[in-house]
Amino acid sequence: AQTPPADKPAADAPRHDWQHARGDRFVRFLDINKDGKVSLKEIDDEIGRLFGAADVKGDGKLTPEEFQRRGELFMRLRVMTLFDLLDANGDGVLTKDELEAPAARWFKRYDKNGDGFITADELPQYGGRSMDRRSGPPGGMMGPRR
C-alpha cells in the first residue's frame, strides 16, 4: 500500500487524526516565534503581510478589484470565514441585523444617485454586458466584479 503524503490524511485515517494534523500545519505555518502556539499578533502580522501584497496601489486600502484579485490569500489563512466576517460582535451567532448590514453597504455603493433604488444602469457592467445567470450577482464573496 502506498503511504499518503504527510499533508494528506490516509483514506481510512480517523477524522480526529486528520483534524489534528491540519491543526499542526496551521500552527507550524503561523507560529513565527516557534513557541508551539499561535498568538493573535502572529495572525495579525501575517494578515498585514498579505494585506501589503494585495494592496497593489500601496495606499493602505483594498479596493474591490484588489480584494477580488488577492482576497483568497486571506481565506487560505483559515483564521476567517464568511461567517466570521458577518459575525460583527463575535458572539458566534448571526442576527438578522448582522446579515442586513453588508447588504445595506452593498446597496449604498450601487445606488449611485441615492434615490433608494438600484437600476440596471447603476450596476457594474461585465465585458460590455450586464450581469447574467452565469456571472451571478455583483459583489459576491470577493467583492464586486468589474
Side-chain angles (χ1 to χ4, degrees), residues 22 26 47 50 67 70-85 141-142:
R22 195 171 171 192
F26 172 85
I47 289 172
L50 293 174
F67 190 77
R70 299 285 175 100
E72 74 278 355
L73 295 173
F74 296 100
M75 299 303 165
R76 286 185 187 162
L77 280 179
R78 302 216 190 273
V79 297
M80 65 183 81
T81 64
L82 179 57
F83 186 92
D84 297 316
L85 293 172
M141 177 68 176
M142 295 300 172

mmCIF file of all heavy atoms in Angstrom, residues 22 26 47 50 67 70-85 141-142:
data_model
loop_
_atom_site.group_PDB
_atom_site.id
_atom_site.type_symbol
_atom_site.label_atom_id
_atom_site.label_comp_id
_atom_site.label_asym_id
_atom_site.label_seq_id
_atom_site.Cartn_x
_atom_site.Cartn_y
_atom_site.Cartn_z
ATOM 1 N N ARG A 22 -4.134 18.756 10.567
ATOM 2 C CA ARG A 22 -4.463 20.056 9.987
ATOM 3 C C ARG A 22 -4.141 21.175 10.971
ATOM 4 O O ARG A 22 -3.594 22.211 10.611
ATOM 5 C CB ARG A 22 -5.935 20.066 9.596
ATOM 6 C CG ARG A 22 -6.326 21.155 8.696
ATOM 7 C CD ARG A 22 -7.739 20.906 8.237
ATOM 8 N NE ARG A 22 -8.220 22.051 7.523
ATOM 9 C CZ ARG A 22 -9.453 22.244 7.186
ATOM 10 N NH1 ARG A 22 -10.375 21.352 7.481
ATOM 11 N NH2 ARG A 22 -9.821 23.321 6.551
ATOM 12 N N PHE A 26 -1.453 24.294 10.651
ATOM 13 C CA PHE A 26 -1.857 25.675 10.923
ATOM 14 C C PHE A 26 -0.865 26.334 11.887
ATOM 15 O O PHE A 26 -0.382 27.431 11.641
ATOM 16 C CB PHE A 26 -3.277 25.685 11.510
ATOM 17 C CG PHE A 26 -3.729 27.023 12.017
ATOM 18 C CD1 PHE A 26 -4.287 27.952 11.150
ATOM 19 C CD2 PHE A 26 -3.607 27.361 13.356
ATOM 20 C CE1 PHE A 26 -4.713 29.189 11.612
ATOM 21 C CE2 PHE A 26 -4.030 28.598 13.823
ATOM 22 C CZ PHE A 26 -4.578 29.509 12.943
ATOM 23 N N ILE A 47 -1.604 38.631 8.397
ATOM 24 C CA ILE A 47 -2.630 39.380 7.667
ATOM 25 C C ILE A 47 -2.035 40.664 7.117
ATOM 26 O O ILE A 47 -2.292 41.042 5.971
ATOM 27 C CB ILE A 47 -3.861 39.654 8.564
ATOM 28 C CG1 ILE A 47 -4.627 38.349 8.808
ATOM 29 C CG2 ILE A 47 -4.776 40.715 7.934
ATOM 30 C CD1 ILE A 47 -5.744 38.461 9.823
ATOM 31 N N LEU A 50 0.014 39.846 4.057
ATOM 32 C CA LEU A 50 -0.856 39.571 2.920
ATOM 33 C C LEU A 50 -1.548 40.838 2.434
ATOM 34 O O LEU A 50 -1.730 41.035 1.235
ATOM 35 C CB LEU A 50 -1.893 38.502 3.283
ATOM 36 C CG LEU A 50 -1.326 37.115 3.547
ATOM 37 C CD1 LEU A 50 -2.423 36.183 4.037
ATOM 38 C CD2 LEU A 50 -0.645 36.558 2.315
ATOM 39 N N PHE A 67 -9.094 43.300 -3.749
ATOM 40 C CA PHE A 67 -9.525 42.191 -2.899
ATOM 41 C C PHE A 67 -9.936 41.002 -3.746
ATOM 42 O O PHE A 67 -9.637 39.858 -3.410
ATOM 43 C CB PHE A 67 -10.653 42.609 -1.964
ATOM 44 C CG PHE A 67 -10.944 41.562 -0.927
ATOM 45 C CD1 PHE A 67 -10.118 41.417 0.170
ATOM 46 C CD2 PHE A 67 -12.023 40.718 -1.071
ATOM 47 C CE1 PHE A 67 -10.367 40.437 1.122
ATOM 48 C CE2 PHE A 67 -12.277 39.735 -0.125
ATOM 49 C CZ PHE A 67 -11.447 39.593 0.975
ATOM 50 N N ARG A 70 -6.746 39.261 -4.894
ATOM 51 C CA ARG A 70 -5.901 38.606 -3.903
ATOM 52 C C ARG A 70 -6.645 38.145 -2.644
ATOM 53 O O ARG A 70 -6.018 37.661 -1.714
ATOM 54 C CB ARG A 70 -4.786 39.562 -3.465
ATOM 55 C CG ARG A 70 -3.868 40.006 -4.561
ATOM 56 C CD ARG A 70 -2.923 38.872 -4.931
ATOM 57 N NE ARG A 70 -2.104 39.197 -6.062
ATOM 58 C CZ ARG A 70 -0.850 39.603 -5.990
ATOM 59 N NH1 ARG A 70 -0.276 39.752 -4.836
ATOM 60 N NH2 ARG A 70 -0.181 39.864 -7.086
ATOM 61 N N GLY A 71 -7.953 38.316 -2.597
ATOM 62 C CA GLY A 71 -8.706 38.006 -1.378
ATOM 63 C C GLY A 71 -8.623 36.564 -0.932
ATOM 64 O O GLY A 71 -8.711 36.275 0.258
ATOM 65 N N GLU A 72 -8.416 35.648 -1.872
ATOM 66 C CA GLU A 72 -8.346 34.236 -1.485
ATOM 67 C C GLU A 72 -7.162 33.970 -0.564
ATOM 68 O O GLU A 72 -7.180 33.025 0.216
ATOM 69 C CB GLU A 72 -8.313 33.328 -2.714
ATOM 70 C CG GLU A 72 -6.993 33.302 -3.463
ATOM 71 C CD GLU A 72 -6.789 34.460 -4.438
ATOM 72 O OE1 GLU A 72 -7.713 35.278 -4.632
ATOM 73 O OE2 GLU A 72 -5.702 34.559 -4.997
ATOM 74 N N LEU A 73 -6.138 34.807 -0.616
ATOM 75 C CA LEU A 73 -4.997 34.629 0.287
ATOM 76 C C LEU A 73 -5.425 34.725 1.745
ATOM 77 O O LEU A 73 -4.954 33.979 2.600
ATOM 78 C CB LEU A 73 -3.920 35.687 0.002
ATOM 79 C CG LEU A 73 -3.239 35.631 -1.360
ATOM 80 C CD1 LEU A 73 -2.324 36.833 -1.543
ATOM 81 C CD2 LEU A 73 -2.471 34.340 -1.526
ATOM 82 N N PHE A 74 -6.345 35.635 2.045
ATOM 83 C CA PHE A 74 -6.817 35.798 3.411
ATOM 84 C C PHE A 74 -7.609 34.568 3.860
ATOM 85 O O PHE A 74 -7.506 34.134 4.999
ATOM 86 C CB PHE A 74 -7.669 37.063 3.544
ATOM 87 C CG PHE A 74 -6.894 38.319 3.287
ATOM 88 C CD1 PHE A 74 -6.975 38.958 2.065
ATOM 89 C CD2 PHE A 74 -6.071 38.852 4.263
ATOM 90 C CE1 PHE A 74 -6.252 40.110 1.818
ATOM 91 C CE2 PHE A 74 -5.339 40.007 4.031
ATOM 92 C CZ PHE A 74 -5.426 40.640 2.801
ATOM 93 N N MET A 75 -8.406 34.020 2.961
ATOM 94 C CA MET A 75 -9.196 32.846 3.303
ATOM 95 C C MET A 75 -8.296 31.626 3.528
ATOM 96 O O MET A 75 -8.606 30.760 4.329
ATOM 97 C CB MET A 75 -10.216 32.546 2.204
ATOM 98 C CG MET A 75 -11.211 33.652 1.979
ATOM 99 S SD MET A 75 -12.111 34.075 3.478
ATOM 100 C CE MET A 75 -12.792 35.635 2.984
ATOM 101 N N ARG A 76 -7.170 31.568 2.831
ATOM 102 C CA ARG A 76 -6.252 30.433 2.999
ATOM 103 C C ARG A 76 -5.616 30.407 4.381
ATOM 104 O O ARG A 76 -5.157 29.360 4.821
ATOM 105 C CB ARG A 76 -5.161 30.468 1.932
ATOM 106 C CG ARG A 76 -5.683 30.070 0.587
ATOM 107 C CD ARG A 76 -4.565 29.988 -0.404
ATOM 108 N NE ARG A 76 -5.112 29.773 -1.721
ATOM 109 C CZ ARG A 76 -4.441 29.994 -2.829
ATOM 110 N NH1 ARG A 76 -3.206 30.440 -2.786
ATOM 111 N NH2 ARG A 76 -5.005 29.773 -3.991
ATOM 112 N N LEU A 77 -5.572 31.530 5.062
ATOM 113 C CA LEU A 77 -5.048 31.539 6.431
ATOM 114 C C LEU A 77 -5.906 30.690 7.356
ATOM 115 O O LEU A 77 -5.451 30.243 8.393
ATOM 116 C CB LEU A 77 -5.015 32.965 6.986
ATOM 117 C CG LEU A 77 -3.877 33.859 6.585
ATOM 118 C CD1 LEU A 77 -4.039 35.231 7.219
ATOM 119 C CD2 LEU A 77 -2.548 33.249 6.974
ATOM 120 N N ARG A 78 -7.148 30.515 7.002
ATOM 121 C CA ARG A 78 -8.113 29.767 7.800
ATOM 122 C C ARG A 78 -8.338 30.396 9.176
ATOM 123 O O ARG A 78 -8.625 29.712 10.143
ATOM 124 C CB ARG A 78 -7.711 28.302 7.932
ATOM 125 C CG ARG A 78 -7.568 27.602 6.604
ATOM 126 C CD ARG A 78 -8.034 26.193 6.690
ATOM 127 N NE ARG A 78 -7.704 25.428 5.519
ATOM 128 C CZ ARG A 78 -8.457 25.368 4.423
ATOM 129 N NH1 ARG A 78 -9.567 26.043 4.353
ATOM 130 N NH2 ARG A 78 -8.101 24.618 3.410
ATOM 131 N N VAL A 79 -8.144 31.704 9.263
ATOM 132 C CA VAL A 79 -8.448 32.410 10.509
ATOM 133 C C VAL A 79 -9.701 33.253 10.339
ATOM 134 O O VAL A 79 -10.076 33.979 11.248
ATOM 135 C CB VAL A 79 -7.270 33.303 10.981
ATOM 136 C CG1 VAL A 79 -6.055 32.440 11.302
ATOM 137 C CG2 VAL A 79 -6.924 34.377 9.976
ATOM 138 N N MET A 80 -10.316 33.152 9.167
ATOM 139 C CA MET A 80 -11.566 33.868 8.950
ATOM 140 C C MET A 80 -12.396 33.106 7.931
ATOM 141 O O MET A 80 -11.867 32.471 7.036
ATOM 142 C CB MET A 80 -11.328 35.302 8.487
ATOM 143 C CG MET A 80 -10.656 35.439 7.130
ATOM 144 S SD MET A 80 -10.314 37.137 6.651
ATOM 145 C CE MET A 80 -8.808 37.439 7.538
ATOM 146 N N THR A 81 -13.668 33.151 8.134
ATOM 147 C CA THR A 81 -14.620 32.561 7.209
ATOM 148 C C THR A 81 -15.649 33.635 6.899
ATOM 149 O O THR A 81 -15.655 34.698 7.536
ATOM 150 C CB THR A 81 -15.336 31.353 7.839
ATOM 151 O OG1 THR A 81 -16.113 31.824 8.952
ATOM 152 C CG2 THR A 81 -14.355 30.288 8.299
ATOM 153 N N LEU A 82 -16.517 33.361 5.978
ATOM 154 C CA LEU A 82 -17.599 34.300 5.701
ATOM 155 C C LEU A 82 -18.425 34.520 6.970
ATOM 156 O O LEU A 82 -18.808 35.637 7.287
ATOM 157 C CB LEU A 82 -18.473 33.794 4.549
ATOM 158 C CG LEU A 82 -19.660 34.666 4.178
ATOM 159 C CD1 LEU A 82 -19.223 36.080 3.813
ATOM 160 C CD2 LEU A 82 -20.443 34.043 3.043
ATOM 161 N N PHE A 83 -18.658 33.443 7.724
ATOM 162 C CA PHE A 83 -19.400 33.567 8.976
ATOM 163 C C PHE A 83 -18.699 34.549 9.919
ATOM 164 O O PHE A 83 -19.329 35.424 10.498
ATOM 165 C CB PHE A 83 -19.540 32.198 9.645
ATOM 166 C CG PHE A 83 -20.413 32.212 10.871
ATOM 167 C CD1 PHE A 83 -21.764 31.942 10.773
ATOM 168 C CD2 PHE A 83 -19.888 32.514 12.119
ATOM 169 C CE1 PHE A 83 -22.583 31.977 11.899
ATOM 170 C CE2 PHE A 83 -20.690 32.549 13.247
ATOM 171 C CZ PHE A 83 -22.044 32.279 13.135
ATOM 172 N N ASP A 84 -17.372 34.409 10.066
ATOM 173 C CA ASP A 84 -16.626 35.309 10.947
ATOM 174 C C ASP A 84 -16.711 36.750 10.480
ATOM 175 O O ASP A 84 -16.794 37.671 11.298
ATOM 176 C CB ASP A 84 -15.155 34.893 11.015
ATOM 177 C CG ASP A 84 -14.971 33.519 11.617
ATOM 178 O OD1 ASP A 84 -15.621 33.226 12.629
ATOM 179 O OD2 ASP A 84 -14.180 32.741 11.052
ATOM 180 N N LEU A 85 -16.662 36.947 9.183
ATOM 181 C CA LEU A 85 -16.750 38.310 8.655
ATOM 182 C C LEU A 85 -18.115 38.927 8.919
ATOM 183 O O LEU A 85 -18.223 40.129 9.161
ATOM 184 C CB LEU A 85 -16.450 38.309 7.148
ATOM 185 C CG LEU A 85 -15.012 37.941 6.772
ATOM 186 C CD1 LEU A 85 -14.895 37.775 5.259
ATOM 187 C CD2 LEU A 85 -14.032 38.978 7.278
ATOM 188 N N MET A 141 -18.539 36.995 -2.760
ATOM 189 C CA MET A 141 -17.622 36.805 -1.647
ATOM 190 C C MET A 141 -16.385 37.691 -1.738
ATOM 191 O O MET A 141 -15.895 38.196 -0.764
ATOM 192 C CB MET A 141 -17.212 35.331 -1.599
ATOM 193 C CG MET A 141 -16.215 35.009 -0.533
ATOM 194 S SD MET A 141 -16.926 35.175 1.084
ATOM 195 C CE MET A 141 -15.567 34.634 2.071
ATOM 196 N N MET A 142 -15.862 37.875 -2.925
ATOM 197 C CA MET A 142 -14.624 38.628 -3.069
ATOM 198 C C MET A 142 -14.855 40.069 -3.463
ATOM 199 O O MET A 142 -13.921 40.778 -3.770
ATOM 200 C CB MET A 142 -13.720 37.968 -4.120
ATOM 201 C CG MET A 142 -13.263 36.601 -3.708
ATOM 202 S SD MET A 142 -12.340 36.705 -2.175
ATOM 203 C CE MET A 142 -12.146 35.009 -1.807
#
